[in-house]
């Protein structure tokens, strides 16, 4: 067995906050926070695709705070950090989350077409104008 392996957990942001909210309602929040805090790397996908409910933003903050300086997080988002106040519904909570996420971090900004759009364009299924508008010519 290799000793250089790291535990990793991948979860879409909407699924993450849904699980945290359900755990809170069932009185199991501490257990669920522990579950998401254990892996060396937690990958949270598509943060900002849908706005968070106020309670969900606070639950996400608790998770980020718990992992801060104890475990790595990789967060993907289609929103710039300047838009996160709207994503979380509260600029103060967004600032607190970003403060912890951005400390000791590397931010990688990817511009241009997504892999999916580029592949469709090469296949002739989407033209340049439609891709920019997010519309398919199918």
């Amino acid at each position: 067995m290799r000793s250089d392996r790291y535990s990793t957990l991948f979860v879409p942001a909407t699924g993450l906050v849904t699980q945290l909210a359900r755990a809170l309602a069932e009185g199991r929040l501490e257990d669920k926070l522990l579950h998401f805090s254990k892996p060396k790397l937690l990958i949270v996908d598509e943060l900002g695709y849908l706005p968070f409910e106020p309670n969900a933003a606070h639950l996400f903050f608790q998770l980020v705070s718990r992992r801060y300086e104890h475990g790595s997080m990789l967060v993907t988002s289609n929103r710039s950090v300047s838009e996160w106040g709207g994503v979380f519904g509260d600029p103060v909570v967004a600032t607190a989350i970003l403060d912890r996420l951005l400390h000791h971090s590397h931010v990688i900004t990817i511009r241009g077409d997504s892999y999916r759009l580029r592949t469709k364009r090469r296949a002739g299924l989407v033209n340049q104008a439609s891709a920019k508008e997010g519309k398919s010519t199918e």
Side-chain angles (χ1 to χ4, degrees):
M1 177 175 226
R2 293 175 46 167
S3 63
D4 60 344
R5 293 185 182 188
Y6 292 96
S7 57
T8 305
L9 180 62
F10 173 94
V11 62
T14 54
L16 172 71
V17 295
T18 298
Q19 289 182 53
L20 291 175
R22 185 178 307 129
L24 176 66
E26 296 171 355
R28 300 180 300 102
L29 181 60
E30 186 62 32
D31 292 339
K32 192 53 76 171
L33 287 170
L34 183 61
H35 168 76
F36 287 118
S37 297
K38 280 187 176 181
K40 291 281 188 182
L41 173 63
L42 176 64
I43 302 169
V44 180
D45 192 32
E46 297 181 336
L47 191 135
Y49 176 70
L50 295 173
F52 280 32
E53 295 293 324
N55 192 44
H58 292 283
L59 292 170
F60 187 72
F61 171 77
Q62 287 183 53
L63 176 62
V64 170
S65 291
R66 179 154 311 187
R67 291 191 61 87
Y68 177 64
E69 295 193 333
H70 295 285
S72 298
M73 289 184 72
L74 189 153
V75 179
T76 69
S77 180
N78 63 344
R79 305 287 181 191
S80 68
V81 294
S82 64
E83 297 177 81
W84 282 26
V87 169
F88 289 108
D90 183 338
V92 174
V93 173
T95 299
I97 290 168
L98 285 166
D99 180 58
R100 286 154 182 82
L101 285 178
L102 295 176
H103 188 228
H104 306 303
S105 72
H106 299 278
V107 177
I108 300 170
T109 303
I110 301 171
R111 301 194 189 283
D113 290 344
S114 72
Y115 174 78
R116 294 173 195 97
L117 283 177
R118 185 175 47 225
T119 303
K120 281 194 165 204
R121 183 173 298 113
R122 286 181 185 156
L125 299 173
V126 176
N127 65 33
Q128 186 72 21
S130 296
K132 287 183 181 177
E133 296 170 12
K135 297 178 183 174
S136 173
T137 57
E138 300 175 313

